[in-house]
Each structure stands twice: as structure tokens, then as C-alpha cells.
Amino acid sequence: MSAADVREAVTQAHHEEWARVVASLTRRFGDLDIAEEATAEAFATAVERWPADGVPPNPGAWLTTTANRKAIDRIRRENKRDDKQKEAQLLYDDDPPEPPGAIDDERLRLIFTCCHPALAMETRVALTLRMVAGLTVAEIARAFLVQETAMGQRITRAKAKIKAARIPYRMPSAEDLPARVSGVLAVLFLVFNEGYLATGPDTDPVRHDLTAEAIRLTRLIRALVPDDGEVAGLLALMLLTEARRTARISASGELVTLVEQDRGTWDAGLIAEGHRLVRERLAAGVAPGRYQILAAISAVHTSARDVRDTDWWQVVALYDQLVRLDPSPIIALNRAIAVAELDGPEVALAAVDRLEDKLAGYHLYHATRADLLRRLSRGQESRAAYDTAIELAGNTAEIAYLTRRRDQLG
């Protein structure tokens, strides 16, 4: 096996096994910090040994065993007392296996632990992206638009708080479950978004492993709370977005925007399932939440056979409804993009410019301005905005797209 094949095997194992290993060690040792550090050490050992020893037949089992040994070594180093009974429990883990089934999925319990209400919402999301999705601190910091050092400190404090507060590694009780779901949905949405358009410059531009994991876990949450409209809305949004995945990156590795995508390549099955969920929520007659409105917007886009058939009036009306629920600057930016199709780029640009103080570090703010300025024949300003967007963007496919658009200005 070549060195490139081994690197690919390590990368694949990280995508597929990171959360399983962290969850397994968390269950056994009850300490997220130990679980994360030991898992990271196990992967570092794989990088060193697999090129010489070969990739093991079961990488997940190899990594779990290695991580367990790393964790035991750390506990022994830190444990000053000569406690033979505790050492024996570490060496011989005779706990009965967990019963199978979706509700007993270890990664799902790990998510609920990371999303405990004792933690601030942003901390829950960041911690779960690290523990469950295996994103680097740098990738998470980019998603939050904060400094990497600040994000690292946030995650470290969160792990320490979970340990100090003895937050349990388990599923919430039936009565606590509904209140805990919203935090989990926020986590899953960010995990999906990171897969939909990866922020790391050294990763694939689209990470199907993350979008698939987010969809899988959202389905599990829906099985737990089938009557929750926001769970159904988030699942519909994910499905309708995932349906376009294969059309979003060109053969040359460049982002293909919604306007330019070949709609014939969209996954009809996922679109049908997403539309069905949206219709079910509309029929329920209950005021929709944020994810349900976002799903409805996506349903409008995926209902149009051609971009020229898009019902932009309905899209803007849905964004108006969404802004009342979530008056965030990013929602306002997306609304302005739709407004450009109804009222023209000049009206939209005025709305976008009002967001500068809040989105100056966000690459899509500058990319949106660049496109609107281009449409207004303000080439020099458009080029400057493209330059800023390219500098801030981390996704290779986006950078390729933005660079081409900038160079087309002449």
C-alpha cells in the first residue's frame, strides 16, 4: 500500500471513527478531556505506525483499543494513589454491552452531553463540533467568526465544566427531552453546514461524511420526538440541500452556484422526501419555526425546474417571516440576495451595505457585494470586494469560483 493510500485510510478513519472512539471512551472513563486527548493520540499513533505495519483490517477497533490504552496510561500518570482496585477496573472493562437500537446510539448520547443546558449555546455547538464531528479548533473558529485561541479556550472551559458539574453521559429523561432538542438541532445544523461547504482550506470542499452524519443523527432525533416541527423542518432543509450536492462542485473543483447548477442531476428522491416534510408541517397549522421556514425557502428553490421559474416573491415573503424570528445579519444578507431578483441590485446593495459593521469579517458578505456591484457595472469596486472575499474564504471551491468571477471583470 502506497503512502498516499495510507494517508487516505487515516483520513477516512478520522471521518468515520472519530466520534465513535470519543463516545466509547467517554462512556468508559466519564471524562471528555481524557476521551478527546486519547483519541487524538491514537490517530497520531496510526499516522506513525500504519505506513510500516499496514492499515489494520478493522481501523475502528484498532483506534478504540489504542485510545483506551492511551487513556489508561494518562490516568495512571495522574493517579498518585496506589489503588489496585481502580487499576483493575481500567484494565478489565467488563461492563455489559449497551443494548442496540437508535435511541442507544453512543454518539447521540455524546451529543446530548455536549449540548447540556448548563453550557452556553455557542459552547454546546462548538464542543459538539469538536467531540462528535472531529472538526479542528481552527475550523470551528472560522464557523463562529472568532479567533482560534478564543475558541480553544471556550472548548477547554466547556470540558472542565462538564467534569466539575458531573454532567452525566446519557440520554435525557422523557420529560427533559423536548427542552434539550433545540440545542441539539443548532449543533446538527452547524455540522451539516460545515459538510455542505467546508471551511478548512486543507479539506475537501464538500464533506459528505459530515452532511450524512448530520442527516443520520437528525433522523434519530426525529424518531425520539416525531411531533416536533423544528426537527422535521431541519431534516427537510438538510435533505433538500443534500439533494443538490453532486451538482455543486464542477469537475475542475469549482463551486457551481444555484443559478448555474444542472437541475437534472439533483436527487429526486431526497427532494420528494423534503417536500413531503414541508407539506406535512404546513398542514399541521402550527406557526413555523426557523428551520421550517428555511426548509420552505429551499422547497421553493427546488420546485423550480429552471432558475427563471423561481417564485422570488414567495422567497422574499418567507425571509420577511424569518427575519421576525431570527433578525441575524446573515439572514438579512440572504434576504437581500433574494430582494435583488425582485427589486434590482441597487436596492439590494443598499440593504447589504447596512450590514458592514456586523459582517465585515464574513467572506459571503463581500462576495455578495462583489456580485451586486458587478451587476451595477461598478467594476473597480466589484474587484476590490472579490479580493476581500477571496482573502477571507477558506473553501477551495469557493475561492476558485470567486477568482474566476473576479478575473472575468477584465
Side-chain angles (χ1 to χ4, degrees):
M1 181 177 286
S2 69
D5 290 335
V6 174
R7 285 195 300 271
E8 177 61 29
V10 172
T11 300
Q12 183 176 349
H14 186 271
H15 288 170
E16 296 177 355
E17 305 296 343
W18 171 273
R20 290 189 180 96
V21 179
V22 171
S24 174
L25 268 65
T26 302
R27 178 181 63 82
R28 182 175 179 187
F29 300 107
D31 189 309
L32 276 177
D33 199 40
I34 289 175
E36 180 197 10
E37 182 179 292
T39 301
E41 289 182 1
F43 276 96
T45 302
V47 171
E48 293 175 0
R49 290 178 48 182
W50 288 7
D53 300 346
V55 178
N58 188 334
W62 188 97
L63 289 161
T64 301
T65 300
T66 303
N68 270 285
R69 290 172 180 161
K70 299 289 185 183
I72 290 170
D73 288 343
R74 171 176 164 173
I75 291 171
R76 280 172 169 166
R77 290 193 305 269
E78 295 177 352
N79 187 9
K80 307 280 196 236
R81 297 175 301 170
D82 184 20
D83 190 339
K84 298 296 184 183
Q85 182 179 4
K86 181 176 288 185
E87 182 172 310
Q89 289 175 344
L90 293 175
L91 291 173
Y92 303 103
D93 183 17
D94 292 329
D95 289 345
E98 296 291 333
I103 292 179
D104 295 309
D105 185 282
E106 283 196 357
R107 286 172 292 182
L108 195 57
R109 286 182 299 183
L110 180 61
I111 287 181
F112 275 106
T113 301
C114 294
C115 294
H116 197 277
L119 304 172
M121 177 62 77
E122 285 190 351
T123 299
R124 299 178 215 173
V125 178
L127 185 63
T128 308
L129 285 171
R130 176 65 188 137
M131 295 297 141
V132 182
L135 302 189
T136 66
V137 174
E139 288 171 331
I140 301 168
R142 185 185 292 273
F144 275 94
L145 306 178
V146 299
Q147 293 296 317
E148 183 177 346
T149 53
M151 181 55 66
Q153 291 168 356
R154 182 183 300 175
I155 293 172
T156 298
R157 287 194 299 267
K159 291 185 293 185
K161 184 169 185 176
I162 286 175
K163 184 175 182 179
R166 298 182 182 276
I167 292 174
Y169 174 64
R170 67 182 183 213
M171 290 291 296
S173 62
E175 57 269 23
D176 291 338
L177 190 59
R180 296 281 300 277
V181 166
S182 62
V184 174
L185 296 185
V187 168
L188 296 179
F189 190 38
L190 244 80
V191 172
F192 183 86
N193 283 342
E194 178 59 30
Y196 166 75
L197 204 61
T199 56
D202 299 321
T203 64
D204 292 335
V206 174
R207 293 183 59 181
H208 176 55
D209 58 309
L210 290 182
T211 57
E213 179 70 1
I215 290 171
R216 188 189 77 85
L217 291 173
T218 305
R219 289 190 189 278
L220 292 182
I221 296 292
R222 188 160 189 262
L224 286 170
V225 283
D227 297 327
D228 190 301
E230 281 293 82
V231 177
L234 180 57
L235 179 57
L237 175 62
M238 289 179 176
L239 295 173
L240 293 173
T241 306
E242 181 72 358
R244 300 187 285 107
R245 175 172 55 86
T246 57
R248 294 183 55 250
I249 305 295
S250 71
S252 62
E254 182 180 315
L255 179 73
V256 182
T257 63
L258 181 63
V259 173
E260 299 170 324
Q261 286 172 18
D262 179 359
R263 301 186 174 216
T265 65
W266 290 356
D267 189 316
L270 292 180
I271 289 176
E273 184 180 0
H275 285 181
R276 178 179 57 77
L277 287 168
V278 170
R279 287 194 299 270
E280 285 179 3
R281 294 313 309 164
L282 288 173
V286 180
R290 177 172 178 263
Y291 297 119
Q292 293 168 79
I293 297 173
L294 285 170
I297 292 170
S298 189
V300 174
H301 284 300
T302 51
S303 295
R305 294 185 177 182
D306 186 279
V307 66
R308 292 169 294 186
D309 300 328
T310 304
D311 187 345
W312 289 108
W313 184 90
Q314 188 176 4
V315 171
V316 172
L318 286 167
Y319 270 119
D320 287 342
Q321 192 174 356
L322 183 57
V323 166
R324 290 192 288 272
L325 288 178
D326 180 11
S328 73
I330 291 179
I331 294 297
L333 178 67
N334 290 334
R335 180 188 180 277
I337 294 171
V339 165
E341 303 302 322
L342 276 185
D343 301 327
E346 190 167 0
V347 173
L349 181 62
V352 169
D353 283 344
R354 288 194 290 270
L355 303 172
E356 181 179 9
D357 59 332
K358 297 176 181 177
L359 295 179
Y362 186 44
H363 74 284
L364 288 180
Y365 163 77
H366 298 282
T368 301
R369 286 194 78 249
D371 180 66
L372 294 172
L373 289 164
R374 178 189 57 79
R375 291 165 65 178
L376 290 168
S377 300
R378 293 161 63 177
Q380 188 172 353
E381 294 171 87
S382 178
R383 174 177 289 276
Y386 274 122
D387 286 340
T388 305
I390 291 165
E391 182 180 348
L392 292 173
N395 185 278
T396 55
E398 273 191 298
I399 292 171
Y401 167 76
L402 293 169
T403 301
R404 178 176 64 82
R405 295 289 281 175
R406 179 198 63 189
D407 294 346
Q408 285 177 340
L409 290 170

